[in-house]
Amino acid sequence: MKIKNLADLELFITTAQYGSLSAAARSLEISPAVASAALKRLESELGVLLFVRTTRSLRLTAEGERLLARSQPLINELRDLADELVAGHSLIRGELSLSLPSDLGRNVILPWLDEFQQQHPDLHLRVQLSDRIADVMREPVDVAIRYGQPPDSSQVALPLVTDNRRVLCAAPHYLATHGTPSSPAELSQHNCLCFRVGDALYNRWRFTRDGEVLDIDVRGNRSADDADAVRHWTVSGYGICYRSWLDVGRDVTAGRLSVICPQWQGESLPLNLICPDRRQLSPTIRLLREHLQHRFEAYVLQANTYLYR
C-alpha cells in the first residue's frame, strides 16, 4: 500500500464526485492550494496520473477510474464504521450487573470501574463481590470475571489475562520466625492458609519444575471462602498462602509478602470475562473488556518486572 494519507484518498474521491478540485476543496473546507498539493502527492505515491486537467475541465484517467471504483466503497465503509463507533459510545447507558472476585475485585478492579463510569456517566453499575461461582445463566448477572474456564462450556469466556499463575508466598516476619521452605515438599512443616469454595477445601497444591510435578496436601488452622481474607491473614503473618499472582502481586512489590520457592511454577490461572451467550456481548461489555484489558496489561507488566528482575 503506497497511499500514506487517507485524507488524500478522500480528496481524490470528492474531486471525482464534483468534477472540480476547487469545489472539492470547498466541500472539505481546505484551501485550493492544499487540495492541489494533496492530489499531486497521491499521484506521486501511486506513480500514475489520476486526472486529465484542462483549463475548463477535470476528467478521470483510466487509472483514476479504477482507483475510484475500488477506493470509494472502502472509504464509505470506514465512514460507516466511524459512525457505528460514535453511536456505540453514545449508547453506553442503562444498568450493567457484574460479579467480581472478592480480593481482585475489591482491591484492583473497582478503581478501574470508577474510571470506566467517569467516561460513561449514563451507565449504572451493580457489582457483586464474591468468590462463589456466579451462575450467569440463572442469576441477574450480565457478566462475571472469574479465574479459570467457566463450568458450563456453552458460556463465552473472553480472556482478560492469559498468563497468570498461583504463587506461594508469606509475610517476611512469618518467614523470619518459622523459616523459609526450600521446596514445596517442606510445606507440611508450616501453617498453610487455605481457600474454600462452598464445602470444597482447596488444600492440594500443585507445582512443576523441569517436567517434575509435586502435588502437596497441606494443612493449617485457618481457611476462608473469601480470597481477600486469606490474603489478609497472610500479610498479617499467620501462615503461607498459594494465591493468584494478580491477587498478591501488589503486596509482593510493596514488600508485604515474599515469594517462596520461585523455581517451582504454580498452577496456571487465567482470568476471563464470562458471558452467558455471545449474542449478549453489547457495546458496553465490549468497551468494558477493552478497558480492563488495557489496565491489566500495565498491572501485570509492573508486577512481573518486579518478580523476574
Side-chain angles (χ1 to χ4, degrees), residues 35-49:
S36 178
L39 186 56
K40 289 178 181 177
R41 181 169 56 243
L42 181 62
E43 290 179 325
S44 176
E45 289 171 354
L46 296 176
V48 296
L49 193 65

Side-chain angles (χ1 to χ4, degrees), residues 136-281:
V136 294
M137 296 295 289
R138 296 183 177 87
E139 296 184 13
V141 173
D142 297 313
V143 290
I145 294 177
R146 286 292 180 265
Y147 289 113
Q149 295 300 316
D152 186 344
S153 60
S154 67
Q155 297 174 0
V156 179
L158 303 175
L160 290 174
V161 182
T162 55
D163 186 17
N164 178 57
R165 293 186 176 274
R166 300 184 193 273
V167 294
L168 200 62
C169 55
H173 54 285
Y174 172 89
L175 299 176
T177 303
H178 300 280
T180 302
S182 59
S183 164
E186 297 177 13
L187 289 174
S188 59
Q189 305 168 27
H190 291 268
N191 192 46
C192 294
L193 308 171
C194 294
F195 179 64
R196 183 185 296 276
V197 179
D199 295 328
L201 181 66
Y202 185 71
N203 64 339
R204 170 162 283 200
W205 298 354
R206 170 166 289 194
F207 306 88
T208 59
R209 184 182 68 176
D210 300 328
E212 181 183 1
V213 178
L214 278 181
D215 285 315
I216 308 295
D217 291 323
V218 301
R219 290 185 296 178
N221 62 7
R222 298 182 185 219
S223 66
D225 64 355
D226 185 290
D228 199 20
V230 175
R231 186 184 58 82
H232 171 76
W233 288 337
T234 311
V235 171
S236 299
Y238 289 109
I240 296 174
C241 75
Y242 185 47
R243 298 297 306 144
S244 159
W245 175 242
L246 293 177
D247 285 339
V248 300
R250 62 193 182 280
D251 294 312
V252 173
T253 56
R256 293 185 291 268
L257 293 177
S258 298
V259 175
I260 305 169
C261 304
Q263 70 276 20
W264 287 88
Q265 195 171 60
E267 295 169 279
S268 175
L269 202 63
L271 185 70
N272 295 304
L273 187 149
I274 298 172
C275 185
D277 191 288
R278 190 167 294 277
R279 288 170 296 184
Q280 292 181 241
L281 294 178

Side-chain angles (χ1 to χ4, degrees), residues 281-294:
L281 294 178
S282 64
T284 301
I285 294 175
R286 292 180 187 277
L287 280 176
L288 175 63
R289 184 202 176 196
E290 291 177 10
H291 176 74
L292 294 178
Q293 279 183 311
H294 292 321

